[in-house]
Amino acid sequence: MSFIRTLLILTVFPIALQAGSIVGNWKTIDDVTGRTKSIVTIYKTGHGDFEGKVSKIIHSDLGPNPVCEKCDGERHNQPIEGMVILWGLNAAGATDWKGGEILDPKNGKIYKAKVHLREDGKLEVRGFIGFSLIGRTQVWEPED
């Protein structure tokens, strides 16, 4: 392999990986009103999987400074802002992550989760029970 070809691969490959990353800040959008509810920051953990934490509440049906009243265990009555609500995601291709779980702070339930990065740069976040067919998908937008 020529030096120039190797240099090209080493230069372009990291850019391609970065373009297909879910790492960053994402606006969660209310399914009914279309309003931005929160900002979730997705990051890679030291174990190589991905987590998402609510970094900012923008609008909540639960009032100002909402807590997770319906959550169990250590999350019960804890502030939603700062809470990890998405965890255990692993890459399953260039634009897909799966194997994780997601918490719905409104009802306190935990669902299996998978994520797909669309060509338009938006994130399809699917929470489901059992099989992926039974669940709900939200579209998250990158924060400006």
Side-chain angles (χ1 to χ4, degrees), residues 4-17:
I4 294 175
R5 187 172 177 190
T6 302
L7 185 60
L8 182 61
I9 289 171
L10 292 175
T11 304
V12 174
F13 187 67
I15 293 169
L17 285 177

Side-chain angles (χ1 to χ4, degrees), residues 85-102:
I85 62 162
L86 179 66
W87 61 90
L89 284 173
N90 291 290
T95 59
D96 294 292
W97 291 260
K98 65 180 184 177
E101 293 182 299
I102 190 165

Side-chain angles (χ1 to χ4, degrees), residues 1-143:
M1 188 180 293
S2 73
F3 173 75
I4 294 175
R5 187 172 177 190
T6 302
L7 185 60
L8 182 61
I9 289 171
L10 292 175
T11 304
V12 174
F13 187 67
I15 293 169
L17 285 177
Q18 187 177 15
S21 178
I22 59 172
V23 171
N25 294 324
W26 298 91
K27 296 187 287 186
T28 66
I29 310 298
D30 187 282
D31 298 336
V32 177
T33 66
R35 293 174 73 178
T36 301
K37 297 187 321 185
S38 65
I39 303 297
V40 173
T41 301
I42 298 179
Y43 52 92
K44 192 171 188 175
T45 71
H47 302 289
D49 59 343
F50 294 84
E51 290 184 351
K53 178 187 288 191
V54 178
S55 53
K56 184 176 182 181
I57 300 287
I58 295 173
H59 174 77
S60 173
D61 297 337
L62 304 174
N65 304 311
V67 297
C68 197
E69 293 177 1
K70 296 184 179 180
C71 287
D72 291 329
E74 64 186 29
R75 290 186 178 97
H76 181 68
N77 283 332
Q78 293 301 306
I80 295 170
E81 191 168 290
M83 184 177 287
V84 174
I85 62 162
L86 179 66
W87 61 90
L89 284 173
N90 291 290
T95 59
D96 294 292
W97 291 260
K98 65 180 184 177
E101 293 182 299
I102 190 165
L103 166 72
D104 182 345
K106 195 169 185 177
N107 65 21
K109 293 184 181 179
I110 296 173
Y111 303 93
K112 292 181 180 180
K114 68 179 188 175
V115 171
H116 172 71
L117 183 60
R118 300 184 342 187
E119 285 185 23
D120 64 3
K122 295 180 182 179
L123 205 58
E124 289 181 2
V125 180
R126 183 152 183 84
F128 57 96
I129 299 171
F131 296 102
S132 180
L133 295 174
I134 303 171
R136 184 175 117 209
T137 300
Q138 284 190 329
V139 176
W140 294 0
E141 300 175 0
E143 184 183 37

